[in-house]
Amino acid sequence: QVQLVESGGGLVQAGGSLRLSCAASGRTFRRYSMGWFRQAPGKEREFVAAISWSGGGTYYTDSVKGRFTISRDNAKNTVYLQMSSLTPEDTAVYYCAASGLVRIPSLVSQYDYWGQGTQVTVSS
């Protein structure tokens, strides 16, 4: 019903920046809230940021506040994650997620659709 494809990951030095993109496609009548999650080796998938369908509401985990910015361009069916001041602790596979019904944006279980992930590696 909904397909999500992330891009923009790569290798960056500490203090650098990256912008991730998530392109959505598929035939659906729903409007979706969007989220970014990340998963490091041996760790659980964790919440990074979320944005409402209209873009009027944004949410961030404490560790990225002031460094990451989530945004969306509904005309392009794309959500972005601008990441700055990156540290090695940000190294993970980053996943885009979508849901038509979100009450608690930080919960993995709130989202119905997921992308394949894009690797972000931050060197020290």
Side-chain angles (χ1 to χ4, degrees), residues 62-79:
D62 286 345
S63 64
V64 308
K65 288 180 179 177
R67 300 190 298 121
F68 291 11
T69 301
I70 188 171
S71 62
R72 66 192 297 165
D73 185 341
N74 286 343
K76 296 181 179 180
N77 297 316
T78 301
V79 63

Side-chain angles (χ1 to χ4, degrees), residues 6-98:
E6 304 96 334
S7 63
L11 176 64
V12 64
Q13 294 183 1
S17 299
L18 284 174
R19 188 180 76 160
L20 306 184
S21 299
C22 173
S25 63
R27 298 178 68 85
T28 178
F29 202 69
R30 291 188 180 186
R31 296 173 177 177
Y32 292 94
S33 296
M34 304 292 295
W36 284 98
F37 291 76
R38 65 188 181 188
Q39 188 166 23
K43 297 183 179 180
E44 295 182 355
R45 192 166 298 188
E46 67 173 347
F47 172 73
V48 177
I51 189 167
S52 63
W53 178 86
S54 67
T58 58
Y59 312 88
Y60 299 92
T61 191
D62 286 345
S63 64
V64 308
K65 288 180 179 177
R67 300 190 298 121
F68 291 11
T69 301
I70 188 171
S71 62
R72 66 192 297 165
D73 185 341
N74 286 343
K76 296 181 179 180
N77 297 316
T78 301
V79 63
Y80 305 95
L81 185 68
Q82 178 66 51
M83 307 185 295
S84 300
S85 301
L86 288 163
T87 75
E89 288 68 41
D90 296 314
T91 295
V93 177
Y94 283 70
Y95 296 90
C96 178

